[in-house]
Amino acid sequence: GAVVSQHPSWVICKSGTSVKIECRSLDFQATTMFWYRQFPKQSLMLMATSNEGSKATYEQGVEKDKFLINHASLTLSTLTVTSAHPEDSSFYICSAVYRVRDQPQHFGDGTRLSIL
Amino acid sequence: EDKVVQSPLSLVVHEGDTVTLNCSYEVTNFRSLLWYKQEKKAPTFLFMLTSSGIEKKSGRLSSILDKKELFSILNITATQTGDSAVYLCAVVGVGETSGSRLTFGEGTQLTVNP
């Protein structure tokens, strides 16, 4: 089945640091990748949709300058949390899909981000 | 705004019981409904449903979609402790400006006790 790799799985860093999270589709070409955020005991909230070679589309309320997304190739998207603060601590999950309309999204294992 | 509502939010059963999880939705230009299982990490894909009335089955799990009444159910028979997880229902819709997007329900927390 489709495999999506996300790295790192856990990050602890100081306030003010920028953190980059990678999402790779290992055995298929992902034309679209999605970034989600999940708080404890809550469902996934879509942050942004990323299509290869174009700018990401951000959901309402998500700061573009805070959460930088790059989708430079069909197998890699990155999310950079710039100048992270404790309120950015969360579980970040990416997903990837070849054809959004008729194929399921496959998820990476997630990144737990803790800002001290 | 697209909406997905799951019920119950929480369910505790004994091993061997059969459970039914519910998912109702309102979505612009429905494309498909998906069920995922989430344990400690990210969700793992279970089923994708696009047509009404056609049951999808995988081992002890099965699911069906009713596009007229806008809901789906996920059945798990002969439950095992390993079935304990959050089960997420998500719907793909196509917005006029937003493109295809996946909207998740809150999830059902299933606990199977030995």
Side-chain angles (χ1 to χ4, degrees):
Chain A
V3 178
V4 176
S5 171
Q6 191 171 336
H7 177 81
S9 56
W10 200 355
V11 180
I12 303 174
C13 57
K14 292 182 181 178
S15 188
T17 309
S18 290
V19 178
K20 181 187 276 191
I21 303 170
E22 290 188 351
C23 181
R24 293 180 186 272
S25 57
L26 298 186
D27 54 357
F28 67 102
Q29 293 185 326
T31 54
T32 307
M33 288 185 170
F34 300 85
W35 288 95
Y36 296 85
R37 185 173 180 175
Q38 187 175 34
F39 291 105
K41 298 195 184 298
Q42 292 187 25
S43 194
L44 283 74
M45 289 180 53
L46 180 64
M47 297 175 66
T49 302
S50 168
N51 291 302
E52 185 264 340
S54 60
K55 287 186 181 179
T57 303
Y58 290 82
E59 295 299 298
Q60 199 168 11
V62 177
E63 297 175 57
K64 299 178 186 181
D65 296 331
K66 177 77 172 172
F67 299 100
L68 300 178
I69 292 172
N70 183 282
H71 190 167
S73 78
L74 284 172
T75 59
L76 174 65
S77 175
T78 60
L79 167 68
T80 302
V81 184
T82 61
S83 187
H85 291 284
E87 59 266 27
D88 299 323
S89 299
S90 188
F91 190 52
Y92 293 87
I93 310 174
C94 74
S95 72
V97 64
Y98 173 61
R99 275 206 304 263
V100 177
R101 292 189 173 212
D102 53 18
Q103 292 187 351
Q105 292 182 24
H106 294 278
F107 289 83
D109 279 344
T111 297
R112 192 160 300 284
L113 177 62
S114 298
I115 309 297
L116 305 177
Chain B
E1 186 180 327
D2 298 345
K3 190 191 296 186
V4 179
V5 178
Q6 290 185 246
S7 64
L9 293 181
S10 179
L11 190 56
V12 181
V13 300
H14 290 291
E15 264 192 320
D17 288 351
T18 292
V19 298
T20 298
L21 310 183
N22 303 296
C23 175
S24 63
Y25 62 89
E26 294 174 25
V27 65
T28 303
N29 296 324
F30 172 89
R31 296 294 300 192
S32 58
L33 183 145
L34 298 99
W35 284 97
Y36 289 89
K37 177 182 181 181
Q38 185 175 24
E39 297 173 89
K40 291 186 178 175
K41 293 189 174 180
T44 52
F45 171 71
L46 294 175
F47 296 112
M48 181 173 181
L49 303 158
T50 56
S51 302
S52 267
I54 299 175
E55 185 184 51
K56 293 229 173 169
K57 200 169 169 62
S58 175
R60 296 176 294 102
L61 277 67
S62 63
S63 183
I64 197 161
L65 173 68
D66 186 330
K67 288 166 74 173
K68 184 179 175 186
E69 300 297 330
L70 307 182
F71 80 90
S72 173
I73 59 172
L74 175 69
N75 275 326
I76 308 175
T77 58
T79 51
Q80 302 171 357
T81 54
D83 295 328
S84 297
V86 175
Y87 289 84
L88 295 166
C89 173
V91 177
V92 178
V94 181
E96 289 183 8
T97 55
S98 62
S100 296
R101 52 188 290 125
L102 197 63
T103 302
F104 281 89
E106 287 187 61
T108 294
Q109 171 72 62
L110 174 65
T111 303
V112 182
N113 290 323

